[in-house]
Amino acid sequence: RVNLIESELFGHENGAFTGAIKQKIGKFELAHKGTIFLDEIGSLGLDVQANLLRILQEKEFERVGGHRTLKTDVRIIAATHRDLKSQIQQGLFREDLFYRLNVVPIRLPPLRERMEDIGDLVRYFLRTAAGEGLGQRSIEMSAIEKLKGYPWPGNVRELENFVRRLSALYTQDTLTA
């Protein structure tokens, strides 16, 4: 069984698996001499992790179903919401890959840990919504304070969708508490 992510990242050859009716160039081949962003790297299976490690160490890979070694030179930026050190202890994430990727770690705290950003984010999302034709809106400070009282478990995406919903459904020009 071929993992869809393997086909997306590394590409595949014609006939490599059911449904592979033509050759597909993968993201690593397309990103040669550039940068690739891998979101939720903590969700990748160990087999894909091994292929990523090969790319990082040897700068080479094979397409799914392929026999030819391809070269690539890419910078990888990876993100995850998972605790990779815990994943390593559980045998779910390769320690060698972790240290290869962990060159410049950046921790972006969840929105609930930086409530002071809510006002700026809401105003930005209101401008974006206005640019998409959802109407020009402003927001009262009391409404922003009310938003700061919610923990935002869906993080910034939840706040963005909430503001878009308000922009689409609220008929007043100013959002209030």
mmCIF file of all heavy atoms in Angstrom, residues 131-174:
data_model
loop_
_atom_site.group_PDB
_atom_site.id
_atom_site.type_symbol
_atom_site.label_atom_id
_atom_site.label_comp_id
_atom_site.label_asym_id
_atom_site.label_seq_id
_atom_site.Cartn_x
_atom_site.Cartn_y
_atom_site.Cartn_z
ATOM 1 N N GLY A 131 -11.591 43.143 1.847
ATOM 2 C CA GLY A 131 -10.973 43.011 0.532
ATOM 3 C C GLY A 131 -11.583 41.904 -0.299
ATOM 4 O O GLY A 131 -11.472 41.883 -1.517
ATOM 5 N N GLU A 132 -12.239 40.967 0.363
ATOM 6 C CA GLU A 132 -12.909 39.857 -0.333
ATOM 7 C C GLU A 132 -14.393 40.142 -0.549
ATOM 8 O O GLU A 132 -15.154 39.257 -0.906
ATOM 9 C CB GLU A 132 -12.720 38.573 0.470
ATOM 10 C CG GLU A 132 -11.272 38.127 0.540
ATOM 11 C CD GLU A 132 -11.045 36.968 1.502
ATOM 12 O OE1 GLU A 132 -12.001 36.545 2.203
ATOM 13 O OE2 GLU A 132 -9.909 36.477 1.562
ATOM 14 N N GLY A 133 -14.801 41.400 -0.269
ATOM 15 C CA GLY A 133 -16.174 41.784 -0.532
ATOM 16 C C GLY A 133 -17.158 41.503 0.584
ATOM 17 O O GLY A 133 -18.372 41.550 0.363
ATOM 18 N N LEU A 134 -16.686 41.197 1.768
ATOM 19 C CA LEU A 134 -17.596 40.895 2.875
ATOM 20 C C LEU A 134 -18.004 42.134 3.669
ATOM 21 O O LEU A 134 -18.653 42.020 4.696
ATOM 22 C CB LEU A 134 -16.970 39.854 3.817
ATOM 23 C CG LEU A 134 -16.810 38.458 3.224
ATOM 24 C CD1 LEU A 134 -16.121 37.529 4.204
ATOM 25 C CD2 LEU A 134 -18.164 37.883 2.827
ATOM 26 N N GLY A 135 -17.621 43.288 3.205
ATOM 27 C CA GLY A 135 -18.033 44.527 3.863
ATOM 28 C C GLY A 135 -16.970 45.047 4.813
ATOM 29 O O GLY A 135 -16.286 44.278 5.488
ATOM 30 N N GLN A 136 -16.857 46.368 4.850
ATOM 31 C CA GLN A 136 -15.890 47.035 5.723
ATOM 32 C C GLN A 136 -16.475 47.092 7.126
ATOM 33 O O GLN A 136 -17.568 47.597 7.324
ATOM 34 C CB GLN A 136 -15.629 48.455 5.187
ATOM 35 C CG GLN A 136 -14.548 49.199 5.919
ATOM 36 C CD GLN A 136 -13.171 48.630 5.616
ATOM 37 O OE1 GLN A 136 -12.867 48.299 4.480
ATOM 38 N NE2 GLN A 136 -12.350 48.514 6.633
ATOM 39 N N ARG A 137 -15.749 46.556 8.099
ATOM 40 C CA ARG A 137 -16.207 46.551 9.484
ATOM 41 C C ARG A 137 -15.090 47.066 10.382
ATOM 42 O O ARG A 137 -13.906 46.907 10.094
ATOM 43 C CB ARG A 137 -16.548 45.135 9.963
ATOM 44 C CG ARG A 137 -17.534 44.367 9.125
ATOM 45 C CD ARG A 137 -18.967 44.589 9.599
ATOM 46 N NE ARG A 137 -19.906 43.730 8.917
ATOM 47 C CZ ARG A 137 -20.355 43.927 7.682
ATOM 48 N NH1 ARG A 137 -19.912 44.926 6.974
ATOM 49 N NH2 ARG A 137 -21.233 43.123 7.134
ATOM 50 N N SER A 138 -15.496 47.648 11.507
ATOM 51 C CA SER A 138 -14.551 47.980 12.577
ATOM 52 C C SER A 138 -15.023 47.230 13.820
ATOM 53 O O SER A 138 -16.095 46.609 13.814
ATOM 54 C CB SER A 138 -14.532 49.496 12.819
ATOM 55 O OG SER A 138 -15.806 49.942 13.235
ATOM 56 N N ILE A 139 -14.220 47.285 14.870
ATOM 57 C CA ILE A 139 -14.566 46.556 16.086
ATOM 58 C C ILE A 139 -14.293 47.431 17.302
ATOM 59 O O ILE A 139 -13.277 48.125 17.358
ATOM 60 C CB ILE A 139 -13.813 45.206 16.179
ATOM 61 C CG1 ILE A 139 -14.300 44.381 17.366
ATOM 62 C CG2 ILE A 139 -12.310 45.411 16.173
ATOM 63 C CD1 ILE A 139 -13.893 42.913 17.328
ATOM 64 N N GLU A 140 -15.219 47.407 18.236
ATOM 65 C CA GLU A 140 -15.049 48.166 19.472
ATOM 66 C C GLU A 140 -14.049 47.462 20.380
ATOM 67 O O GLU A 140 -13.914 46.232 20.349
ATOM 68 C CB GLU A 140 -16.386 48.292 20.209
ATOM 69 C CG GLU A 140 -17.379 49.205 19.544
ATOM 70 C CD GLU A 140 -18.683 49.331 20.337
ATOM 71 O OE1 GLU A 140 -18.861 48.604 21.338
ATOM 72 O OE2 GLU A 140 -19.521 50.160 19.921
ATOM 73 N N MET A 141 -13.373 48.246 21.199
ATOM 74 C CA MET A 141 -12.403 47.696 22.142
ATOM 75 C C MET A 141 -13.069 46.711 23.104
ATOM 76 O O MET A 141 -12.477 45.694 23.468
ATOM 77 C CB MET A 141 -11.727 48.844 22.903
ATOM 78 C CG MET A 141 -10.403 48.501 23.478
ATOM 79 S SD MET A 141 -9.298 47.947 22.156
ATOM 80 C CE MET A 141 -8.105 47.118 23.151
ATOM 81 N N SER A 142 -14.312 46.988 23.494
ATOM 82 C CA SER A 142 -15.019 46.082 24.419
ATOM 83 C C SER A 142 -15.230 44.707 23.781
ATOM 84 O O SER A 142 -15.195 43.680 24.469
ATOM 85 C CB SER A 142 -16.353 46.681 24.853
ATOM 86 O OG SER A 142 -17.194 46.890 23.723
ATOM 87 N N ALA A 143 -15.412 44.684 22.468
ATOM 88 C CA ALA A 143 -15.576 43.407 21.767
ATOM 89 C C ALA A 143 -14.254 42.641 21.737
ATOM 90 O O ALA A 143 -14.226 41.417 21.918
ATOM 91 C CB ALA A 143 -16.105 43.632 20.362
ATOM 92 N N ILE A 144 -13.167 43.367 21.526
ATOM 93 C CA ILE A 144 -11.849 42.720 21.542
ATOM 94 C C ILE A 144 -11.566 42.140 22.921
ATOM 95 O O ILE A 144 -11.088 41.011 23.049
ATOM 96 C CB ILE A 144 -10.750 43.714 21.104
ATOM 97 C CG1 ILE A 144 -10.901 44.008 19.605
ATOM 98 C CG2 ILE A 144 -9.356 43.156 21.407
ATOM 99 C CD1 ILE A 144 -10.003 45.097 19.084
ATOM 100 N N GLU A 145 -11.902 42.889 23.968
ATOM 101 C CA GLU A 145 -11.706 42.391 25.341
ATOM 102 C C GLU A 145 -12.529 41.129 25.585
ATOM 103 O O GLU A 145 -12.067 40.198 26.237
ATOM 104 C CB GLU A 145 -12.043 43.474 26.368
ATOM 105 C CG GLU A 145 -11.052 44.620 26.383
ATOM 106 C CD GLU A 145 -9.610 44.180 26.609
ATOM 107 O OE1 GLU A 145 -9.364 43.323 27.497
ATOM 108 O OE2 GLU A 145 -8.717 44.672 25.886
ATOM 109 N N LYS A 146 -13.718 41.095 25.056
ATOM 110 C CA LYS A 146 -14.561 39.897 25.199
ATOM 111 C C LYS A 146 -13.919 38.701 24.487
ATOM 112 O O LYS A 146 -13.919 37.586 25.004
ATOM 113 C CB LYS A 146 -15.965 40.166 24.660
ATOM 114 C CG LYS A 146 -16.920 39.030 24.920
ATOM 115 C CD LYS A 146 -18.342 39.513 24.906
ATOM 116 C CE LYS A 146 -19.249 38.379 25.310
ATOM 117 N NZ LYS A 146 -20.077 38.692 26.435
ATOM 118 N N LEU A 147 -13.354 38.952 23.299
ATOM 119 C CA LEU A 147 -12.691 37.879 22.555
ATOM 120 C C LEU A 147 -11.482 37.344 23.324
ATOM 121 O O LEU A 147 -11.146 36.159 23.225
ATOM 122 C CB LEU A 147 -12.262 38.366 21.169
ATOM 123 C CG LEU A 147 -13.387 38.714 20.200
ATOM 124 C CD1 LEU A 147 -12.823 39.315 18.925
ATOM 125 C CD2 LEU A 147 -14.247 37.496 19.901
ATOM 126 N N LYS A 148 -10.829 38.188 24.083
ATOM 127 C CA LYS A 148 -9.669 37.762 24.878
ATOM 128 C C LYS A 148 -10.061 36.822 26.009
ATOM 129 O O LYS A 148 -9.208 36.123 26.547
ATOM 130 C CB LYS A 148 -8.941 38.975 25.453
ATOM 131 C CG LYS A 148 -8.203 39.793 24.425
ATOM 132 C CD LYS A 148 -7.522 40.984 25.073
ATOM 133 C CE LYS A 148 -6.779 41.830 24.068
ATOM 134 N NZ LYS A 148 -6.125 42.998 24.721
ATOM 135 N N GLY A 149 -11.335 36.765 26.337
ATOM 136 C CA GLY A 149 -11.806 35.884 27.397
ATOM 137 C C GLY A 149 -12.076 34.456 26.946
ATOM 138 O O GLY A 149 -12.417 33.599 27.754
ATOM 139 N N TYR A 150 -11.915 34.193 25.683
ATOM 140 C CA TYR A 150 -12.153 32.854 25.125
ATOM 141 C C TYR A 150 -10.803 32.185 24.887
ATOM 142 O O TYR A 150 -9.854 32.840 24.452
ATOM 143 C CB TYR A 150 -12.940 32.994 23.816
ATOM 144 C CG TYR A 150 -13.253 31.697 23.123
ATOM 145 C CD1 TYR A 150 -14.185 30.811 23.663
ATOM 146 C CD2 TYR A 150 -12.615 31.349 21.945
ATOM 147 C CE1 TYR A 150 -14.489 29.619 23.018
ATOM 148 C CE2 TYR A 150 -12.900 30.162 21.289
ATOM 149 C CZ TYR A 150 -13.831 29.305 21.838
ATOM 150 O OH TYR A 150 -14.109 28.114 21.208
ATOM 151 N N PRO A 151 -10.653 30.883 25.163
ATOM 152 C CA PRO A 151 -9.332 30.222 25.055
ATOM 153 C C PRO A 151 -8.867 29.887 23.636
ATOM 154 O O PRO A 151 -7.729 29.492 23.433
ATOM 155 C CB PRO A 151 -9.512 28.949 25.875
ATOM 156 C CG PRO A 151 -10.971 28.648 25.806
ATOM 157 C CD PRO A 151 -11.667 29.996 25.754
ATOM 158 N N TRP A 152 -9.696 29.997 22.635
ATOM 159 C CA TRP A 152 -9.344 29.748 21.232
ATOM 160 C C TRP A 152 -8.621 28.412 21.020
ATOM 161 O O TRP A 152 -7.477 28.366 20.571
ATOM 162 C CB TRP A 152 -8.531 30.906 20.654
ATOM 163 C CG TRP A 152 -9.310 32.186 20.724
ATOM 164 C CD1 TRP A 152 -9.143 33.197 21.622
ATOM 165 C CD2 TRP A 152 -10.433 32.541 19.922
ATOM 166 N NE1 TRP A 152 -10.096 34.163 21.415
ATOM 167 C CE2 TRP A 152 -10.898 33.788 20.369
ATOM 168 C CE3 TRP A 152 -11.087 31.918 18.863
ATOM 169 C CZ2 TRP A 152 -11.989 34.426 19.805
ATOM 170 C CZ3 TRP A 152 -12.174 32.561 18.294
ATOM 171 C CH2 TRP A 152 -12.613 33.797 18.767
ATOM 172 N N PRO A 153 -9.311 27.288 21.318
ATOM 173 C CA PRO A 153 -8.666 25.975 21.128
ATOM 174 C C PRO A 153 -8.301 25.698 19.678
ATOM 175 O O PRO A 153 -7.376 24.929 19.410
ATOM 176 C CB PRO A 153 -9.714 24.983 21.652
ATOM 177 C CG PRO A 153 -11.009 25.723 21.599
ATOM 178 C CD PRO A 153 -10.679 27.180 21.815
ATOM 179 N N GLY A 154 -8.974 26.346 18.727
ATOM 180 C CA GLY A 154 -8.652 26.176 17.311
ATOM 181 C C GLY A 154 -7.584 27.146 16.842
ATOM 182 O O GLY A 154 -7.294 27.223 15.658
ATOM 183 N N ASN A 155 -7.031 27.888 17.792
ATOM 184 C CA ASN A 155 -5.923 28.792 17.559
ATOM 185 C C ASN A 155 -6.294 29.914 16.586
ATOM 186 O O ASN A 155 -7.453 30.309 16.505
ATOM 187 C CB ASN A 155 -4.690 28.014 17.087
ATOM 188 C CG ASN A 155 -3.412 28.549 17.680
ATOM 189 O OD1 ASN A 155 -3.334 29.694 18.065
ATOM 190 N ND2 ASN A 155 -2.416 27.706 17.741
ATOM 191 N N VAL A 156 -5.331 30.447 15.859
ATOM 192 C CA VAL A 156 -5.545 31.609 14.994
ATOM 193 C C VAL A 156 -6.543 31.287 13.888
ATOM 194 O O VAL A 156 -7.341 32.141 13.499
ATOM 195 C CB VAL A 156 -4.202 32.109 14.408
ATOM 196 C CG1 VAL A 156 -4.418 33.251 13.426
ATOM 197 C CG2 VAL A 156 -3.272 32.547 15.533
ATOM 198 N N ARG A 157 -6.561 30.060 13.398
ATOM 199 C CA ARG A 157 -7.514 29.707 12.334
ATOM 200 C C ARG A 157 -8.952 29.832 12.837
ATOM 201 O O ARG A 157 -9.843 30.244 12.098
ATOM 202 C CB ARG A 157 -7.249 28.293 11.823
ATOM 203 C CG ARG A 157 -6.011 28.215 10.962
ATOM 204 C CD ARG A 157 -5.861 26.833 10.340
ATOM 205 N NE ARG A 157 -4.609 26.743 9.634
ATOM 206 C CZ ARG A 157 -3.564 26.060 10.055
ATOM 207 N NH1 ARG A 157 -3.605 25.397 11.187
ATOM 208 N NH2 ARG A 157 -2.454 26.025 9.348
ATOM 209 N N GLU A 158 -9.178 29.442 14.088
ATOM 210 C CA GLU A 158 -10.521 29.571 14.657
ATOM 211 C C GLU A 158 -10.912 31.046 14.741
ATOM 212 O O GLU A 158 -12.041 31.420 14.404
ATOM 213 C CB GLU A 158 -10.590 28.926 16.036
ATOM 214 C CG GLU A 158 -11.976 28.992 16.651
ATOM 215 C CD GLU A 158 -12.055 28.402 18.045
ATOM 216 O OE1 GLU A 158 -11.010 28.078 18.638
ATOM 217 O OE2 GLU A 158 -13.187 28.287 18.557
ATOM 218 N N LEU A 159 -10.002 31.890 15.198
ATOM 219 C CA LEU A 159 -10.275 33.324 15.270
ATOM 220 C C LEU A 159 -10.554 33.889 13.875
ATOM 221 O O LEU A 159 -11.498 34.652 13.680
ATOM 222 C CB LEU A 159 -9.103 34.061 15.921
ATOM 223 C CG LEU A 159 -9.235 35.587 15.998
ATOM 224 C CD1 LEU A 159 -10.414 35.995 16.876
ATOM 225 C CD2 LEU A 159 -7.934 36.197 16.526
ATOM 226 N N GLU A 160 -9.750 33.505 12.904
ATOM 227 C CA GLU A 160 -9.959 33.982 11.539
ATOM 228 C C GLU A 160 -11.338 33.602 11.020
ATOM 229 O O GLU A 160 -12.058 34.431 10.453
ATOM 230 C CB GLU A 160 -8.881 33.420 10.607
ATOM 231 C CG GLU A 160 -9.049 33.851 9.171
ATOM 232 C CD GLU A 160 -7.993 33.271 8.242
ATOM 233 O OE1 GLU A 160 -7.298 32.310 8.631
ATOM 234 O OE2 GLU A 160 -7.869 33.798 7.123
ATOM 235 N N ASN A 161 -11.727 32.350 11.205
ATOM 236 C CA ASN A 161 -13.037 31.899 10.728
ATOM 237 C C ASN A 161 -14.169 32.607 11.466
ATOM 238 O O ASN A 161 -15.205 32.924 10.873
ATOM 239 C CB ASN A 161 -13.167 30.383 10.868
ATOM 240 C CG ASN A 161 -12.313 29.657 9.860
ATOM 241 O OD1 ASN A 161 -11.975 30.186 8.809
ATOM 242 N ND2 ASN A 161 -11.945 28.433 10.180
ATOM 243 N N PHE A 162 -13.966 32.865 12.757
ATOM 244 C CA PHE A 162 -14.970 33.590 13.529
ATOM 245 C C PHE A 162 -15.153 35.004 12.969
ATOM 246 O O PHE A 162 -16.271 35.476 12.769
ATOM 247 C CB PHE A 162 -14.564 33.627 15.009
ATOM 248 C CG PHE A 162 -15.529 34.369 15.880
ATOM 249 C CD1 PHE A 162 -16.755 33.813 16.215
ATOM 250 C CD2 PHE A 162 -15.220 35.629 16.365
ATOM 251 C CE1 PHE A 162 -17.656 34.496 17.014
ATOM 252 C CE2 PHE A 162 -16.113 36.332 17.160
ATOM 253 C CZ PHE A 162 -17.334 35.764 17.488
ATOM 254 N N VAL A 163 -14.058 35.680 12.694
ATOM 255 C CA VAL A 163 -14.127 37.045 12.156
ATOM 256 C C VAL A 163 -14.761 37.038 10.760
ATOM 257 O O VAL A 163 -15.570 37.909 10.429
ATOM 258 C CB VAL A 163 -12.732 37.705 12.139
ATOM 259 C CG1 VAL A 163 -12.753 39.033 11.391
ATOM 260 C CG2 VAL A 163 -12.225 37.903 13.566
ATOM 261 N N ARG A 164 -14.432 36.067 9.948
ATOM 262 C CA ARG A 164 -15.055 35.953 8.617
ATOM 263 C C ARG A 164 -16.562 35.729 8.754
ATOM 264 O O ARG A 164 -17.348 36.303 7.998
ATOM 265 C CB ARG A 164 -14.425 34.814 7.814
ATOM 266 C CG ARG A 164 -13.006 35.127 7.338
ATOM 267 C CD ARG A 164 -12.431 34.000 6.499
ATOM 268 N NE ARG A 164 -13.218 33.733 5.304
ATOM 269 C CZ ARG A 164 -13.215 34.485 4.210
ATOM 270 N NH1 ARG A 164 -12.474 35.564 4.149
ATOM 271 N NH2 ARG A 164 -13.947 34.167 3.167
ATOM 272 N N ARG A 165 -16.955 34.889 9.698
ATOM 273 C CA ARG A 165 -18.379 34.625 9.923
ATOM 274 C C ARG A 165 -19.088 35.918 10.343
ATOM 275 O O ARG A 165 -20.159 36.245 9.839
ATOM 276 C CB ARG A 165 -18.547 33.533 10.984
ATOM 277 C CG ARG A 165 -19.952 33.076 11.198
ATOM 278 C CD ARG A 165 -20.090 31.792 12.041
ATOM 279 N NE ARG A 165 -19.219 31.695 13.191
ATOM 280 C CZ ARG A 165 -18.136 30.913 13.272
ATOM 281 N NH1 ARG A 165 -17.790 30.149 12.248
ATOM 282 N NH2 ARG A 165 -17.402 30.863 14.359
ATOM 283 N N LEU A 166 -18.471 36.666 11.272
ATOM 284 C CA LEU A 166 -19.042 37.950 11.677
ATOM 285 C C LEU A 166 -19.145 38.907 10.495
ATOM 286 O O LEU A 166 -20.156 39.591 10.325
ATOM 287 C CB LEU A 166 -18.188 38.594 12.777
ATOM 288 C CG LEU A 166 -18.251 37.973 14.160
ATOM 289 C CD1 LEU A 166 -17.276 38.674 15.100
ATOM 290 C CD2 LEU A 166 -19.664 38.014 14.730
ATOM 291 N N SER A 167 -18.101 38.953 9.678
ATOM 292 C CA SER A 167 -18.091 39.850 8.516
ATOM 293 C C SER A 167 -19.203 39.491 7.537
ATOM 294 O O SER A 167 -19.794 40.368 6.913
ATOM 295 C CB SER A 167 -16.746 39.799 7.804
ATOM 296 O OG SER A 167 -15.735 40.301 8.636
ATOM 297 N N ALA A 168 -19.470 38.217 7.405
ATOM 298 C CA ALA A 168 -20.484 37.764 6.453
ATOM 299 C C ALA A 168 -21.909 37.938 6.995
ATOM 300 O O ALA A 168 -22.829 38.226 6.229
ATOM 301 C CB ALA A 168 -20.247 36.301 6.092
ATOM 302 N N LEU A 169 -22.084 37.783 8.308
ATOM 303 C CA LEU A 169 -23.435 37.746 8.864
ATOM 304 C C LEU A 169 -23.856 39.011 9.611
ATOM 305 O O LEU A 169 -25.048 39.288 9.729
ATOM 306 C CB LEU A 169 -23.571 36.538 9.809
ATOM 307 C CG LEU A 169 -23.321 35.166 9.171
ATOM 308 C CD1 LEU A 169 -23.392 34.069 10.213
ATOM 309 C CD2 LEU A 169 -24.314 34.917 8.039
ATOM 310 N N TYR A 170 -22.918 39.747 10.124
ATOM 311 C CA TYR A 170 -23.225 40.929 10.932
ATOM 312 C C TYR A 170 -23.532 42.096 10.007
ATOM 313 O O TYR A 170 -22.761 42.400 9.096
ATOM 314 C CB TYR A 170 -22.012 41.240 11.822
ATOM 315 C CG TYR A 170 -22.296 42.091 13.028
ATOM 316 C CD1 TYR A 170 -22.922 41.556 14.149
ATOM 317 C CD2 TYR A 170 -21.921 43.431 13.063
ATOM 318 C CE1 TYR A 170 -23.163 42.321 15.281
ATOM 319 C CE2 TYR A 170 -22.164 44.208 14.188
ATOM 320 C CZ TYR A 170 -22.781 43.654 15.285
ATOM 321 O OH TYR A 170 -23.016 44.419 16.393
ATOM 322 N N THR A 171 -24.656 42.766 10.227
ATOM 323 C CA THR A 171 -25.065 43.832 9.308
ATOM 324 C C THR A 171 -24.576 45.211 9.712
ATOM 325 O O THR A 171 -24.573 46.129 8.893
ATOM 326 C CB THR A 171 -26.605 43.860 9.185
ATOM 327 O OG1 THR A 171 -27.161 44.053 10.486
ATOM 328 C CG2 THR A 171 -27.114 42.564 8.574
ATOM 329 N N GLN A 172 -24.163 45.383 10.953
ATOM 330 C CA GLN A 172 -23.680 46.682 11.422
ATOM 331 C C GLN A 172 -22.261 46.932 10.922
ATOM 332 O O GLN A 172 -21.514 46.001 10.662
ATOM 333 C CB GLN A 172 -23.698 46.721 12.957
ATOM 334 C CG GLN A 172 -25.037 46.393 13.591
ATOM 335 C CD GLN A 172 -26.046 47.512 13.391
ATOM 336 O OE1 GLN A 172 -25.681 48.666 13.277
ATOM 337 N NE2 GLN A 172 -27.313 47.152 13.328
ATOM 338 N N ASP A 173 -21.863 48.207 10.833
ATOM 339 C CA ASP A 173 -20.509 48.546 10.418
ATOM 340 C C ASP A 173 -19.484 48.348 11.537
ATOM 341 O O ASP A 173 -18.306 48.174 11.263
ATOM 342 C CB ASP A 173 -20.443 50.023 9.963
ATOM 343 C CG ASP A 173 -21.158 50.226 8.633
ATOM 344 O OD1 ASP A 173 -21.359 49.244 7.904
ATOM 345 O OD2 ASP A 173 -21.520 51.389 8.353
ATOM 346 N N THR A 174 -19.936 48.372 12.774
ATOM 347 C CA THR A 174 -19.039 48.226 13.919
ATOM 348 C C THR A 174 -19.454 47.003 14.725
ATOM 349 O O THR A 174 -20.622 46.863 15.124
ATOM 350 C CB THR A 174 -19.090 49.485 14.828
ATOM 351 O OG1 THR A 174 -18.738 50.620 14.042
ATOM 352 C CG2 THR A 174 -18.124 49.339 15.976
#
